[in-house]
Amino acid sequence: MPGSVDTPGRSLAERPRPEALKRAIDVLAAAVLLALTAPLVLVVAVLVAAGLGRPVLFRQPRVGRHGRVFELVKFRTMLPPDPLRGRVRDGDRLTPLGRFLRSTSLDELPTLWNVLRGDMSLVGPRPLLTEYLPRYSPTQARRHEVRPGVTGLAQVRGRNSLGWEEKLDLDVWYVDHRSLRLDLSILAATVRTVLRREGISAAGSATAPEFLGTHPPAPAVPGPDATLTVPAGGGR
């Protein structure tokens, strides 16, 4: 597999797990983490309200399993766009508090609610913007065969420092090889990535560049004077 997350052999723990078991683990873990982090969530909410104003939460439609759209919930890290104050690009709108929340992944704490609701899993391809849907190749679109995750293989293999094709290749690889052991490896690697604050932004970008699609360019339409070439064996 790509990267250093171990996937040798195919023991019982490595086989694709039943969806019901994955869901049960997600619900139990999300409920426990929400309870344990409740005081921290309250502190972050107060900091966001004081530093960025209201609303405290960022809500945005994202694409989930089988292309179903749901509302992702996170802590807000950016100021609203304001052309008069030069706040148009993500880098202009991202405050020091926002950078800290992103680098520590504290902005993701409310996303556990999405896991509890069934919109997401703890591990899976990250949910992306709805406008990206028509830009995927058929292979890349397979990332929607599973629930999106709070963390995923691409997030522990470089996060936003990876190019879009690398990230989407890792997403599809995860879909084909997902197992309990792989999920546990990704969760452990996520802790290391967060502590090291790796891959927070792409080169030259405060977050990540827009995904414009990787479809090959459409063939040029021959003009009226073009010479018709018949492939060998064709033309019958």
Side-chain angles (χ1 to χ4, degrees):
M1 69 161 289
S4 61
V5 178
D6 297 331
T7 59
R10 278 261 160 181
S11 66
L12 180 62
E14 294 168 322
R15 295 171 191 165
R17 53 184 155 151
E19 193 60 32
L21 175 59
K22 180 179 175 69
R23 180 71 190 131
I25 294 173
D26 284 341
V27 170
L28 179 62
V32 170
L33 288 172
L34 279 171
L36 292 177
T37 60
L40 181 59
V41 168
L42 182 60
V43 169
V44 175
V46 171
L47 289 175
V48 172
L52 299 173
R54 296 188 177 183
V56 168
L57 295 178
F58 170 78
R59 302 173 184 272
Q60 188 176 53
R62 296 291 178 96
V63 181
R65 188 184 184 193
H66 301 321
R68 185 181 68 86
V69 177
F70 69 96
E71 187 177 65
L72 178 77
V73 184
K74 299 172 62 175
F75 277 122
R76 199 154 66 89
T77 58
M78 290 186 183
L79 294 167
D82 186 345
L84 295 179
R85 298 183 180 181
R87 295 200 304 247
V88 179
R89 299 176 306 169
D90 287 353
D92 301 325
R93 300 165 53 210
L94 196 59
T95 65
L97 173 62
R99 292 183 192 279
F100 172 75
L101 294 179
R102 288 189 176 218
S103 67
T104 55
S105 295
L106 289 174
D107 61 319
E108 301 278 359
L109 286 175
T111 309
L112 291 171
W113 177 246
N114 287 117
V115 177
L116 206 56
R117 282 167 45 100
D119 301 325
M120 296 175 61
S121 174
L122 289 178
V123 179
R126 283 289 296 176
L128 299 177
L129 301 176
T130 55
E131 52 262 43
Y132 291 178
L133 264 176
R135 303 176 188 176
Y136 298 116
S137 70
T139 299
Q140 292 168 343
R142 294 190 57 230
R143 70 192 307 280
H144 300 122
E145 292 179 9
V146 299
R147 281 189 177 88
V150 178
T151 185
L153 187 57
Q155 280 61 53
V156 300
R157 297 307 308 152
R159 207 171 171 181
N160 287 330
S161 65
L162 298 178
W164 275 111
E165 289 201 36
E166 292 175 279
K167 281 194 280 191
L168 297 176
D169 285 348
L170 289 169
D171 289 345
V172 175
W173 194 97
Y174 172 80
V175 169
D176 289 334
H177 297 82
R178 62 190 186 278
S179 67
L180 177 59
R181 178 172 178 171
L182 178 59
D183 279 7
L184 291 176
S185 297
I186 291 173
L187 288 172
T190 298
V191 174
R192 294 195 296 270
T193 300
V194 171
L195 291 178
R196 295 171 181 169
R197 302 188 184 186
E198 296 173 338
I200 299 168
S201 59
S205 173
T207 52
E210 180 181 358
F211 173 60
L212 299 176
T214 54
H215 298 288
V221 177
D225 298 328
T227 301
L228 179 63
T229 302
V230 180
R236 288 179 291 184

